[in-house]
Amino acid sequence: MDDEDYEFETRSIHAGQEPDEETGALMTPIYANSTYVQDGPGDHRGYEYSRTGNPTRTDLEANVASLEGGEYGRCFSSGMGSINTVLNLLEAGDHVVASEDVYGGTHRIFTQVYDKYDLEFDFVDMTDTDETAAAMKDSTELVWVETPTNPLLNIVDIDATTDIAHDNGALCVVDNTFATPYLQRPLELGADAVSHSLTKYMGGHSDVVGGALVTNDEELDEQFGFYQNSVGATPGPHDCFLVLRGTKTLPVRMDRHCENAAELAEWLEAHDDVSRVYYPGLESHPDHDLASEQMDDFGGMVSFEMDASLEETADVVSETNVFTLAESLGGVESLIEQPATMTHAAIPKEERLAAGLRDGLIRASIGIESVSDLKRDLEQAFEKSLN
């Protein structure tokens, strides 16, 4: 199908996928092959070894690229695999500027894996473009953006930040996991590439782990492909099949995630036990206007803060019944967690507190259950833990 002729909802179901010519199978088959027959030495039919390429993965890569409005897509065995691939582009002495409240796993790979290879990382408040510009150096080669950020849901101006990166000769890569391409398309705003944890909303059912990179730059895609094959963090065909199943319902799921999150955020903002709510859909959010400009809706993630100790906060997230105490996000079921001891535990406490990740912070991935049940569940958890 010619992607330019169809809307997002149609592409989510059909892009990159055609019925099997031989059997007529509607769904992309799971090509469980490690190797492929060759017609002669070096004369193959597009596939030779499944680390290098697999037909199920090819369909997923085309689908994800279409949804992001990109020409080229590469998929990986996890979101961290995609982040690692971007870092493979760097050389000793290079400098990276990143959002100060990035996902804990991103912070870990930056500071505990690649820092020893003579790479330099600075974490700044990217909601302040002046601070981002001031952090740039002659050696800056990469600006790493999360928006909305994890877990404080700050909004970074992608267009302005991309300009800053390009003015300094650096790449700008945006982690679009929280928003998904249904709500936000960074390539349209000038980003060089988009990174995803397909584990989250794109898969949507908490049953698969994967990652992706999408770009419009052919040379950059070739580099991604080289490291994808050389390092080998590639997804299996069954994983690709599951994500393809997930992207088909992405639009309808995201509509419900956004609807529930918006109502729950308003309820939390009015609650006596909650001191602050982080949700870009609230008019009280400092970046609400920017989010309204660069996003089509505000997402399914809500973080909130209580004037409570680490132990009291742990009690709250442990007392829920509908919300499940677990890491990750983006599934149809609602999840709740304590960033300080779970998703962001890899960040040293001093850095965590300086970035605003306080002990009373709770992050919730709002699912598609009845929102009234979600409210009642949080209410009873507050009553058991705080009163």
Side-chain angles (χ1 to χ4, degrees), residues 140-341:
T140 305
E141 295 293 333
L142 173 65
V143 176
W144 183 269
V145 178
E146 276 186 17
T147 184
T149 61
N150 180 5
L152 294 180
L153 298 162
N154 292 317
I155 304 298
V156 178
D157 188 327
I158 298 173
D159 186 29
T161 304
T162 297
D163 286 344
I164 292 170
H166 291 170
D167 288 345
N168 288 270
L171 290 174
C172 183
V173 180
V174 177
D175 186 331
N176 203 30
T177 298
F178 268 29
T180 82
Y182 184 58
L183 305 182
Q184 176 176 271
R185 290 162 298 282
L187 296 179
E188 295 177 1
L189 299 171
D192 297 290
V194 176
S195 176
H196 274 284
S197 170
L198 299 176
T199 312
K200 312 305 193 298
Y201 289 107
M202 299 288 273
H205 295 80
S206 301
D207 57 7
V208 63
V209 175
L213 291 171
V214 179
T215 184
N216 281 317
D217 187 320
E218 184 176 8
E219 181 179 351
L220 190 57
D221 175 67
E222 289 177 356
Q223 291 179 285
F224 290 159
F226 172 79
Y227 289 111
Q228 179 192 47
N229 184 48
S230 300
V231 177
T234 52
H238 188 259
D239 295 336
C240 295
F241 178 86
L242 288 174
V243 178
L244 278 170
R245 178 211 56 186
T247 60
K248 287 176 171 57
T249 60
L250 178 65
V252 292
R253 286 188 287 106
M254 290 308 299
D255 284 343
R256 182 60 175 266
H257 285 301
C258 293
E259 178 185 342
N260 279 359
E263 184 171 340
L264 197 67
E266 291 179 358
W267 178 79
L268 286 166
E269 191 171 47
H271 201 286
D272 291 340
D273 289 327
V274 176
S275 56
R276 182 173 180 180
V277 180
Y278 301 85
Y279 184 66
L282 294 173
E283 292 187 3
S284 59
H285 192 288
D287 304 320
H288 174 72
D289 290 343
L290 175 60
S292 300
E293 292 175 8
Q294 71 181 26
M295 299 177 70
D296 294 327
D297 208 330
F298 303 105
M301 298 300 298
V302 177
S303 293
F304 59 96
E305 197 170 306
M306 301 176 299
D307 294 324
S309 66
L310 196 65
E311 293 74 18
E312 289 172 324
T313 309
D315 288 342
V316 170
V317 298
S318 299
E319 289 291 350
T320 56
N321 297 313
V322 180
F323 281 90
T324 300
L325 176 59
E327 297 188 7
S328 197
L329 57 102
V332 294
E333 65 289 312
S334 293
L335 303 179
I336 195 166
E337 63 105 8
Q338 183 182 47
T341 58

Side-chain angles (χ1 to χ4, degrees), residues 36-81:
Y36 304 82
V37 65
Q38 299 194 16
D39 298 325
D43 180 16
H44 56 77
R45 306 171 197 179
Y47 298 95
E48 51 188 321
Y49 188 66
S50 274
R51 172 170 40 79
T52 307
N54 176 281
T56 315
R57 191 173 91 210
T58 297
D59 281 8
L60 175 61
E61 289 174 335
N63 182 262
V64 174
S66 174
L67 298 186
E68 277 292 356
E71 289 290 327
Y72 310 101
R74 301 281 178 174
C75 288
F76 301 85
S77 55
S78 70
M80 294 310 303

Side-chain angles (χ1 to χ4, degrees), residues 95 97 122 124 128-137 140 164 168:
H95 174 242
V97 177
D122 277 326
V124 303
D128 184 344
T129 53
D130 290 337
E131 185 171 334
T132 302
M136 303 296 289
K137 302 179 180 181
T140 305
I164 292 170
N168 288 270

Side-chain angles (χ1 to χ4, degrees), residues 337-351:
E337 63 105 8
Q338 183 182 47
T341 58
M342 296 173 69
T343 53
H344 293 70
I347 302 176
K349 183 175 181 179
E350 296 76 15
E351 292 184 39

